[in-house]
Amino acid sequence: MTDPEGATPSEPEPELTGRISITPWWHIGVAAVAGALVGRIVVLVVTSLTGAAPSLPWTLVLLLWLLVLTVAELARSTRRRVHVERRWVAAHRGIRLLAIGKAAALTGGFVAGALVAFGLGFVDRLHIPALAWRAGLAGLGAVAGVLVAVAGRALQRACHVPEDDPPAPAAR
């Protein structure tokens, strides 16, 4: 008897050999370019519709820095558990951590690009204190975005299971 795909029950299931790779820097760069385009468009549209430059809440920057600390701590504790202590991690937890790392890396790149473009929109008017404040906040947020991306990559690297130690040479 065969199933709808034509396989017989006696056939063994295929072995999964694929590996999930760490998000490459160029993917993060593409996310940053997309974020820069979105950030610039938002500044242009809001300024043209309202006649005033958009503001950036300081709480957003604070939350980004808290995200940096959170993802970096996840990366540190996961690396310690998997690579230093060689302790077992449940598969579902490892997958969740890997997904968090990938999402953090791409989101960090996007946010960094968006905030750089947002801040650069005010560079020609830094003599106005309110716009200088917005550009400064955007710079702090962009640095946090880059660090979120770095921490996300570190978390992904920490999720890779190390190869078993080679066997000790036989005593003579």
Side-chain angles (χ1 to χ4, degrees):
M1 176 180 276
T2 61
D3 63 6
E5 295 176 8
T8 60
S10 61
E11 292 178 15
E13 290 187 28
E15 185 176 324
L16 300 176
T17 58
R19 293 182 56 103
I20 299 174
S21 62
I22 295 172
T23 304
W25 283 111
W26 72 270
H27 286 185
I28 297 170
V30 169
V33 169
L37 290 173
V38 169
R40 186 66 186 145
I41 289 170
V42 165
V43 170
L44 293 174
V45 168
V46 170
T47 303
S48 68
L49 291 176
T50 64
S55 62
L56 182 66
W58 64 268
T59 53
L60 174 68
V61 177
L62 178 65
L63 287 174
L64 283 171
W65 282 99
L66 289 174
L67 184 61
V68 169
L69 294 175
T70 303
V71 177
E73 173 55 25
L74 276 174
R76 186 198 65 78
S77 64
T78 302
R79 183 184 181 288
R80 187 189 74 232
R81 180 180 182 108
V82 173
H83 295 274
V84 176
E85 298 172 359
R86 301 277 182 150
R87 290 175 44 202
W88 182 79
V89 176
H92 67 277
R93 180 177 169 91
I95 296 296
R96 286 183 193 143
L97 289 169
L98 184 64
I100 290 169
K102 286 195 170 287
L106 293 173
T107 302
F110 185 89
V111 167
L115 290 177
V116 164
F118 180 86
L120 288 177
F122 305 118
V123 168
D124 59 339
R125 298 174 282 173
L126 290 179
H127 60 280
I128 302 170
L131 298 183
W133 173 255
R134 291 175 188 163
L137 275 179
L140 283 174
V143 169
V146 169
L147 292 177
V148 167
V150 170
R153 277 184 48 98
L155 180 55
Q156 292 175 61
R157 191 173 291 112
C159 289
H160 280 246
V161 177
E163 299 295 328
D164 290 334
D165 292 332
R172 293 183 181 193

